[in-house]
Each structure stands twice: as C-alpha cells, then as structure tokens.
Amino acid sequence: MKIKLARDVLESNDRIAREVRDLLSKRGILSVNILSSPGAGKTTILEHTIRDLGGGIRAAVIEGDLQGTIDAERIDALGVPVVQLNTEGGCHLTAGMVRDALEDLPLDRIDLLFIENVGNLVCPASFDIGESRRVVILSVPEGHDKPAKYPPVFATANALLLNKIDLLPHVAFDMEFLRASLARLNADLPVFEVVATVGRGFAPWLDWLRDGIRAAKEG
Amino acid sequence: MKIKLARDVLESNDRIAREVRDLLSKRGILSVNILSSPGAGKTTILEHTIRDLGGGIRAAVIEGDLQGTIDAERIDALGVPVVQLNTEGGCHLTAGMVRDALEDLPLDRIDLLFIENVGNLVCPASFDIGESRRVVILSVPEGHDKPAKYPPVFATANALLLNKIDLLPHVAFDMEFLRASLARLNADLPVFEVVATVGRGFAPWLDWLRDGIRAAKEG
C-alpha cells in the first residue's frame, strides 16, 4: 500500500484527464470512478467485487479520502495493489492526483482499476479523472429523493448500484419516485440492486464489469 | 416560500459571516447551521423539531440545495417562514447567500433560525455562514467511521445528532469506535441519539435548543 498526499498541479484538469485516459486505454485497462455519499458502501462493494470477479481478472485500487488509510487498509488486506490518496480536505479527486497515483501501480499487470473518489455527491461530478466508466452508489437509507436533489452525479453515471436494499422494510423509500427521477436524468442507466455486506445481487454487476474489461482489451 | 438563486459575491466570506452574526445577535435570534451527508435526515429532523419545540418559539428555515424546492416545500407545509437557496451545483452555502436570504425573512418575529446546508460532509465545514451553533447529523447506516474519515465537520460541531438509531440491529455499527473518534476530535461534543422519522429521543435535543434560544435572548 502506498500513501500519497494529493497535490493539485497547475495544469488543466481536462488535459490531464485525456492523458490518463489515453495511457490506460493503450494498456487495455478498464478504469472505474466510484462516486457516492459518505457511507453508501463504496469500499464494501469494492471488497466483494474484487473477491467475486474471478476469471483471472487482475484488479487494482486508488483510494481517495480526506485523510487516513482506513479504506486502503481494507483493500490491502485483499492482496491487490492499492494507492491511498489523501486530499487533505479536498472534496474530490482530480486527474492530476490520479496520474500521480498511476506511477505507483504495476500497470502492465492490471485489467481493472477502481478509483474510489472522496465520499461526496456534489464535487466529484464536475471532475473528469480520466476514467472509462463512472459508477454511482446510492444506499437505500439515504432516500429516494437523492437523484432529484443531486442531479449531476446521477446524470453523468454509466451505472448505478442501489445498495443496502435489505433495509427497504425498515425505511420509507419510494422506488417509483427513484425510477421516475432516474428516467428523467439518465434514461438508459443500468441499476443493480445489491446488499454489499454479503455480496447479494452482484452477478449482473460483475457481468457488466466483465463486459467493460473485454471491451477495454479489444480497444 | 421564497426561492433564490444563490450567487456568491466578491467579498470576504468571513467578513460577511461576522456581519450576519452581528445582525442575528442584535435581534436575539439563535441561528443553527445544520450539516450532514445527503440523506442523513436533516429536513426530517427540522420537521419534528419545529413541531415539537412548543413554548411559543418562532422558528424559520433557510434551505440550501443544489436545485429544486423539495425540502422547502416540506418546511412550508409546517407554516413557518422558509427561504430556498439554490446553489446551482455549489457544494456549500456561503455567508453572502445567507445574508441575501435574511432579506426575505421576518427577523422581528423569529427566535430560532435553522440553516440547512447542502448535503455534504466536506465543503460546508470550511465556511462560516454567521451561525451561532453548528450541528452535525450522522445517521447510523453511514457507519461508525465517518468522524475518523471526515474530521473537520465533526471537530467544529457544537452538537451531534446520531439519527436512525432504530437501524442499529440491522447494520454493523461499532459505537465504541464512534465514541473514541469523537473523543479525540471534539471531547465535549453533546451527542443526541434519535429516530427523526418518529421524533424519538428528541427531548434532550429540544432542551439544548431552548437553552441556546434563552442565551441568545439574553445576549
């Protein structure tokens, strides 16, 4: 596990994002930017996803957090390469931070790179970090009104994991309201209903990732 | 209900925050800045708090959201003055936005002003908006590690509402870990355990507010 202070550089984020995307694309690596509120289950989903993918798929993770290494330690325990980025208060990762982290990853031995952004439903939406896919996680206890209230992150996502669906019987959650909001914002968004703590409902999500990995290899 | 586009002005946020604080202080109004992740229960807590306070306490609310009026409509239904601020993507309120909203509130008929910030555990921590008290809400499903991972908002709070404690039997939540993190960050922080949807556990929180209102009146 590597730990880096994430320092922003005085270059255009979009220019660096293109550079990161080109670099990963040339190597046939699928990169997935993971966005959510704090506590929606990003790291737990990564843990189960990495364990369950199988098929010789080699994953690596970049962990974005304000400070600390709680998440990177959890990923490190799985035995996959991980770089912890500490933004020191910054509310999102930038392409420059990701480019910097790539220097510490064995890019010739990676098929799938997860980039876990800072827990935040607002700031990360505006920053391209060079990812191939953007995945947003919404957890049931956060409520059905989140896409309506925080539209950009949902409008720009390539897939949505609806986590903690085992809590549906215990909270007021209007699935029709959620579906209607998503239809307005992002009509073709695939939605995977899961319980990350036990890996329930993961099969379609893993298939979606495998399709992406195949496409990245074929370039 | 008033709806405003929140535009930032080219003045120092801290200078305007002092101006807002002076203005509210002279009128004996207690102002409370409410911070949390998206979906932790800010608006639900305000609904029950405003209903249950009693004692002739006159409340008003400023609602901060990226866009829309979902939250302000809920407060409006209670019959208390409310101004909706739309930040159009901005991840926090500023003192200038609050000063602007005050023009639309009947300040001579308010004892308690709630300012519901944008749902975000990062950005709002760095912006003084002229409040007398800062209250952070953490909901149990977000997990016990949130203060350790997002320290500034917890370190600068005057009170913590731990919401959705009815979900404790259904999730993995380490209360000792939470208590230890809070002890390190903010040793004297009052913690109120509540279930906002039904107003459970609200009595000590309401007493804390009443003490603050009394202190604000006494200047």
Side-chain angles (χ1 to χ4, degrees), chain A residues 71 119-120 141 149 164 170, chain B residues 39 71 120 141 149-150 164 170:
Chain A
D71 289 347
N120 200 302
K149 292 177 64 180
K164 310 190 191 180
H170 307 292
Chain B
D71 289 347
N120 200 303
K149 292 177 62 181
Y150 302 86
K164 311 189 190 181
H170 307 291

Side-chain angles (χ1 to χ4, degrees), chain A residues 37-39 65-67 70-71 89-91 118-123 141-142 145-146 148-152 164 167 170-171, chain B residues 37-39 65-67 70-71 89-91 118-123 141-142 145-146 148-152 164 167 170-171:
Chain A
S37 297
D65 283 292
L66 299 198
Q67 63 178 61
I70 292 178
D71 289 347
C91 59
V118 177
N120 200 302
L121 267 193
V122 184
C123 320
E142 293 172 67
D145 61 354
K146 292 302 150 304
K149 292 177 64 180
Y150 302 86
K164 310 190 191 180
L167 295 178
H170 307 292
V171 299
Chain B
S37 296
D65 283 293
L66 299 197
Q67 62 179 62
I70 292 178
D71 289 347
C91 60
V118 177
N120 200 303
L121 267 193
V122 184
C123 320
E142 294 173 65
D145 59 354
K146 292 301 150 306
K149 292 177 62 181
Y150 302 86
K164 311 189 190 181
L167 296 178
H170 307 291
V171 298

Side-chain angles (χ1 to χ4, degrees), chain B residues 201-212:
Chain B
F202 267 40
W205 153 244
L206 296 176
D207 283 342
W208 185 86
L209 283 174
R210 289 182 194 114
D211 286 347

Side-chain angles (χ1 to χ4, degrees), chain B residues 113-133:
Chain B
L113 173 64
F114 288 114
I115 307 165
E116 183 179 327
N117 222 308
V118 177
N120 200 303
L121 267 193
V122 184
C123 320
S126 319
F127 285 81
D128 181 359
I129 54 173
E131 74 270 25
S132 357
R133 301 278 193 284

Side-chain angles (χ1 to χ4, degrees), chain A residues 75-98:
Chain A
I75 300 297
D76 195 47
L78 301 173
V80 303
V82 56
V83 178
Q84 174 80 56
L85 289 173
N86 282 157
T87 64
E88 296 195 296
C91 59
H92 61 87
L93 295 180
T94 65
M97 297 175 192
V98 171

